[in-house]
Amino acid sequence: QVQLVESGGGLVQPGGSLRLSCAVSERIALVNRMGWYRQAPGYQREWVATITSGGSTNIADSVKGRFTISTDNAKNTVYLQMNSLKPEDTAIYYCNLRNVLTAREYWGQGTQVTVSS
């Protein structure tokens, strides 16, 4: 089965930056769409960003202009670069892989991001 492992979370001050990484146990193939989601306490899990194997990206309005999703296919790794962080960005961030042919999804364990002064 596919395994996803997130890393890079931590505590950062408002206005700061973090880069999250997601190590994928297989190639980020043509049929796979990668994404980042987040969940804050008391809130529903929300979509943050997605990227196709062809490099097309979609970014949630709440983070557009601040967050960037990218892949390093040679390293089987997906990144979420987070700039100009706000306290409302505080959440557990989850990496997601979706096989667009089968609709099967895989999730990582999550990494905590806390934005606080």
Side-chain angles (χ1 to χ4, degrees):
Q1 64 177 346
V2 177
Q3 295 186 99
L4 310 174
V5 180
E6 302 97 333
S7 62
L11 175 64
V12 64
Q13 295 185 13
S17 297
L18 284 174
R19 188 179 73 163
L20 306 183
S21 298
C22 173
V24 185
S25 65
E26 67 177 41
R27 296 189 194 93
I28 302 173
L30 180 64
V31 298
N32 293 328
R33 186 195 70 189
M34 305 302 304
W36 287 94
Y37 295 73
R38 66 186 184 184
Q39 187 168 23
Y43 290 83
Q44 186 177 355
R45 183 176 296 186
E46 67 172 340
W47 164 73
V48 175
T50 47
I51 185 168
T52 69
S53 60
S56 297
T57 62
N58 286 286
I59 310 295
D61 288 342
S62 59
V63 302
K64 192 171 295 182
R66 300 187 298 119
F67 290 13
T68 303
I69 186 170
S70 63
T71 61
D72 185 336
N73 292 329
K75 298 182 183 295
N76 295 333
T77 301
V78 184
Y79 302 99
L80 185 68
Q81 178 66 47
M82 305 185 295
N83 300 324
S84 301
L85 283 161
K86 305 174 181 179
E88 51 263 44
D89 296 319
T90 296
I92 301 174
Y93 284 72
Y94 297 91
C95 184
N96 169 265
L97 180 154
R98 184 175 190 269
N99 184 309
V100 299
L101 296 180
T102 66
R104 182 73 180 269
E105 293 191 345
Y106 302 87
W107 295 90
Q109 83 289 344
T111 185
Q112 177 71 49
V113 172
T114 302
V115 185
S116 177
S117 60

